[in-house]
């Protein structure tokens, strides 16, 4: 009798939990289906395809590991694309983080029209990569572009930014800073979550602004910095729209990023199997970089409440 | 007024139902692509009506007249024209998905490559089944081009030859004699261009070489007696002396800067997009280009004329066109042939060719007046030069894996045209790589 009276509400609770779980799954089902069909499926398919030669217009033929071997032995452009991508990431990620943090610090002050400034700096981030790239093509235009006209106002000679091999990667790095609004917002949120008691304690100790920044702000922001660096690195390795729209990989393959080489291999050269193999190498590269970053994070990322 | 509120459970039910309906709707078969011309809408669909998808990379407006006329004559067949952007990528993707349009119009290399891989049906039985079909009406090289493994994988429609347009007013102003259509050589071209050029005032005797358009260079090689590939497209001949000399000759002229705008000068005047418009802007003495640019010259405000492309070892030029094929996946092959045959008929080819200012691949189309390549201007133009080019010009080559081959060739050409490498040094390096690519069928 006692047992029955206890189990009845328990069953009801279980039943309610089950219903709630079913409702929850029903809500996420569209996303799950979309993920499995449009992301998960192609991911698995691309792994299989990477062992085949497939021109799309003919049946696939088994190729074993040939694609993976050719990538590092005969395809000079693949190694070129890795080098181009590496240079881009190595330069653009640190610069964009410093810039984003600087902007976040400025926009964390009590200034007039704060909302307007924050919106303005974030606005480019909501512009699509293709649209932004077209805008920058015009900004870099030799005669009509704002960049060269600005330089002329300063008495400097304009350059052909997207057609000169020594300049073109730098031009794309500068363009990448256009999206600095995304990490800026994350830094801004992190700054606003910093505990004021630490600054009050520092004030009592007579600390200046710089010591406070380096001893409190930066360490407390380190998780946000880490997040932004990881995300920036991943998106940097995946860069595609800018070289595709602005340079086509030129001049002389100076902006042949891995993503662009992959696309060209797949849809210009109809080497879908090879492109799939390239995508997996790209994944391994990103995964490796992320692992390294996580390992290094133990040395410099501080999570509040943990001891070192 | 009821005071009932929506319970959480009811709300969840409602949202869940809506989501489920939305998902089901999303899973429903999509509507077929809409015709761009709207011409198909004018055809009254019948109970037995069959819809034919016609895919092409050119604007649908080019065949609007033919589509309308076809619909009037064939009430049971509706043609929906699809202009397919990113053609080189989307057509293979459609082929992989089995969703190629019933009739596909594609250019030289793509037509052959799709044919080699059995994406198109053999049209010869259909040709043989038409009692009044006269293959001899087509220019022989165009008729014989789309044959793969003994199968006819396409019917040509229009052919755009490259010729030399010149600004007669600019010649007069510079006191330079007009080119002679019967004996126009590379040397003549360079001398005249050099005599007219005034780079300080952004006037050049010649157009620049469109470095990114690799096929522009093939005509220079042909004119020097060479070729990019052997006749079977299995070996790259980029390392042959005729090819090396031909490209280097024009590269030297380009880099000179006093005959045609050099790469840095082109950048200085606004890049490749502007370079293509220099002739119409009155800044060029001569431009070797396809006959389709005639339209941009009609209102240019100067007198122009036409001569053949300059010759070196032989007279040659590009004749660039496309082929109409029926996809192997088509469920309506007979109706597709009915449309294809109509579209490549004398009148069908004429309709399209006259829209685009170039000749057709049928002699009978080119006999209809006003001739398709002729534009109305109030000065004399030797229009005959354009169709005459079909008698000596080459159709663009059609090797397998052309995209990858052109990447190798294009990278090498870019180096030569920018002056960072000599053709004699780089072409022998590239040729074996290209051979590997094109012979991998």
């Amino acid at each position: 009798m006692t047992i029955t009276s206890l189990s009845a509400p328990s069953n009801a609770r279980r039943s309610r939990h089950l219903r709630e779980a079913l409702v929850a799954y029903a809500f996420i089902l569209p996303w799950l289906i979309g993920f499995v069909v449009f992301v998960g499926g192609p991911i698995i398919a691309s792994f299989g395809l990477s062992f085949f030669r497939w021109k799309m217009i003919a049946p696939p033929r088994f190729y074993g590991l040939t694609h993976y071997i050719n990538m590092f032995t005969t395809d000079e452009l693949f190694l070129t694309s890795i080098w181009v991508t590496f240079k881009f990431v190595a330069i653009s990620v640190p610069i964009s983080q410093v810039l984003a943090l600087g902007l976040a610090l400025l926009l964390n002050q009590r200034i007039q029209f704060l909302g307007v400034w924050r919106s303005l700096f974030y606005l480019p981030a909501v512009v699509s990569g293709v649209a932004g790239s077209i805008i920058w093509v015009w900004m870099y235009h030799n005669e009509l572009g704002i960049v060269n006209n600005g330089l002329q106002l300063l008495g400097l000679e304009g350059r052909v930014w997207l057609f000169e091999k020594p300049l073109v990667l730098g031009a794309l790095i500068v363009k990448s800073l256009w999206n600095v609004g995304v990490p800026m917002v994350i830094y801004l949120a992190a700054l606003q979550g910093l505990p004021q008691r630490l600054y009050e304690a520092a004030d009592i100790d007579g600390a200046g602004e710089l010591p406070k920044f380096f001893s409190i702000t930066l360490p407390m922001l380190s998780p946000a910095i880490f997040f932004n660096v990881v995300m920036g690195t991943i998106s940097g390795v995946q860069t595609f729209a800018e070289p595709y729209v602005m340079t086509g990989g030129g001049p002389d393959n100076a902006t042949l990023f891995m993503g662009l080489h992959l696309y060209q291999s797949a849809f210009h050269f109809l080497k879908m199997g090879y492109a799939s193999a390239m995508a997996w190498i790209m994944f391994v590269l990103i995964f490796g970089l992320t692992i390294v970053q996580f390992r290094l994070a133990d040395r410099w990322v501080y999570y509040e409440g943990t001891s070192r | 007024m009821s005071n009932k509120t929506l319970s959480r459970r009811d709300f969840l039910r409602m949202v869940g139902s809506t989501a489920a309906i939305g998902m089901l709707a999303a899973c429903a078969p999509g509507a077929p692509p809409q015709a761009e011309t709207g011409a198909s809408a004018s055809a009254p669909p019948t109970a037995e009506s069959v819809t034919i998808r016609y895919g092409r990379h050119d604007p649908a407006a080019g065949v609007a007249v033919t589509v309308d006329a076809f619909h009037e004559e064939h009430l049971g067949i509706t043609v929906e024209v699809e202009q397919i952007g990113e053609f080189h990528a989307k057509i293979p993707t459609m082929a992989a998905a089995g969703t190629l349009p019933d009739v596909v119009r594609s250019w030289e290399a793509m037509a052959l490559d799709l044919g080699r891989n059995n994406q198109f049906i053999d049209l010869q039985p259909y040709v043989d089944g038409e009692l009044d079909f006269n293959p001899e009406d087509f220019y022989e090289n165009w008729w014989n081009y789309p044959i793969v493994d003994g199968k006819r994988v396409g019917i040509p429609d229009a052919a755009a030859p490259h010729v030399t347009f010149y600004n007669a007013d600019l010649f007069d102003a510079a006191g330079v004699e007009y080119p002679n259509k019967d004996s126009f050589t590379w040397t003549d071209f360079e001398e005249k261009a050099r005599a007219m050029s005034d780079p300080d005032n952004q006037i050049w005797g010649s157009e620049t070489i469109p470095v990114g358009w690799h096929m522009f260079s093939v005509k220079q090689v042909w004119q020097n007696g060479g070729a990019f590939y052997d006749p079977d497209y299995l070996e790259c001949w980029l390392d042959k002396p005729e090819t090396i000399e031909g490209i280097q000759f024009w590269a030297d002229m380009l880099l000179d800067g006093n005959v045609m705008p050099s790469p840095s000068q082109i950048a200085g005047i606004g890049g490749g997009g502007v370079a293509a418009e220099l002739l119409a802007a009155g800044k060029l003495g001569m431009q070797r280009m396809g006959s389709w640019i005639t339209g941009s010259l009609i209102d240019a405000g100067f007198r122009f004329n036409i001569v053949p492309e300059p010759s070196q070892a032989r007279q040659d030029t590009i004749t660039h066109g496309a082929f109409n094929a029926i996809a192997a996946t088509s469920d309506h092959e007979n109706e597709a042939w009915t449309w294809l045959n109509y579209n490549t008929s004398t009148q069908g080819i004429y309709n399209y060719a006259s829209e685009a200012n170039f000749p057709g691949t049928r002699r009978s189309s080119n006999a209809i007046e006003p001739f398709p390549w002729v534009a109305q201007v109030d000065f004399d133009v030797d229009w005959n030069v354009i169709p005459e080019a079909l008698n000596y010009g080459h159709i663009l080559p059609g090797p397998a894996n052309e995209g990858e081959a052109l990447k190798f060739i294009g990278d090498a050409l870019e180096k030569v045209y920018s002056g960072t490498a000599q053709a004699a040094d780089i072409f022998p390096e590239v040729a074996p790589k290209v051979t590997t690519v094109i012979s991998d069928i």
Side-chain angles (χ1 to χ4, degrees), chain A residues 8-9 26 30 45 47 49 60 115 135-136 141 143 163 190 213 262 296 306:
Chain A
F47 185 67
L49 275 177
I135 292 170
W136 276 83
H141 191 277
E143 285 197 332
F163 293 92
F213 175 73
L262 190 157
L296 292 175
T306 58

Side-chain angles (χ1 to χ4, degrees), chain A residues 75-307:
Chain A
D75 184 2
E76 294 164 21
L77 290 179
F78 178 69
L79 298 177
T80 301
S81 70
I82 288 185
W83 178 232
V84 167
T85 308
F86 174 78
K87 281 192 290 186
F88 177 82
V89 170
I91 299 171
S92 70
V93 172
I95 294 176
S96 65
Q97 297 312 313
V98 171
L99 192 62
L101 182 54
L103 282 173
L105 287 168
L106 287 174
L107 296 178
N108 199 36
Q109 309 300 312
R110 287 186 181 141
I111 54 172
Q112 272 197 318
F113 310 118
L114 190 59
V116 174
W117 291 117
R118 285 176 179 171
S119 302
L120 276 179
F121 281 109
Y122 189 75
L123 202 58
V126 300
V127 177
S128 79
V130 171
S133 297
I134 291 170
I135 292 170
W136 276 83
V137 166
W138 281 103
M139 287 168 66
Y140 281 133
H141 191 277
N142 189 57
E143 285 197 332
L144 309 173
I146 193 171
V147 176
N148 276 359
N149 280 293
L151 287 174
Q152 277 170 6
L153 285 177
L154 298 172
L156 299 170
E157 196 179 334
R159 301 300 294 264
V160 192
W161 300 99
L162 300 180
F163 293 92
E164 289 188 42
K165 195 173 177 181
L167 297 177
V168 66
L169 191 61
L172 293 197
I173 289 170
V174 172
K175 192 272 161 189
S176 74
L177 303 178
W178 163 264
N179 293 323
V180 83
V182 177
M184 181 199 77
V185 165
I186 292 167
Y187 285 134
L188 200 52
L191 280 170
Q192 291 176 357
L194 295 186
Q196 288 306 304
R197 57 188 161 76
L198 297 177
Y199 292 98
E200 288 162 5
D203 286 338
I204 292 168
D205 290 343
E209 291 304 315
L210 270 183
K212 277 197 283 187
F213 175 73
F214 284 108
S215 302
I216 300 173
T217 310
L218 265 189
M220 296 301 288
L221 280 182
S222 59
I225 297 173
F226 174 62
F227 175 79
N228 277 335
V229 167
V230 169
M231 297 308 287
T233 304
I234 292 172
S235 68
V237 174
Q238 293 177 330
T239 299
F240 173 72
E242 289 81 1
Y244 179 71
V245 173
M246 296 173 72
T247 64
D252 198 15
N253 297 317
T255 54
L256 186 69
F257 284 71
M258 286 180 75
L260 183 62
H261 187 36
L262 190 157
Y263 171 81
Q264 288 180 342
S265 296
F267 293 105
H268 287 204
F269 310 158
L270 303 187
K271 294 165 68 174
M272 197 54 77
Y274 186 69
S276 298
M278 212 182 285
W280 278 92
I281 293 296
M282 201 164 151
F283 165 73
V284 168
L285 197 70
I286 291 172
F287 188 70
L289 282 172
T290 308
I291 292 289
V292 169
Q293 286 171 330
F294 268 88
R295 288 279 159 80
L296 292 175
D298 292 340
R299 300 183 189 174
W300 63 276
V301 179
Y302 170 73
Y303 293 99
E304 195 181 7
T306 58
S307 58

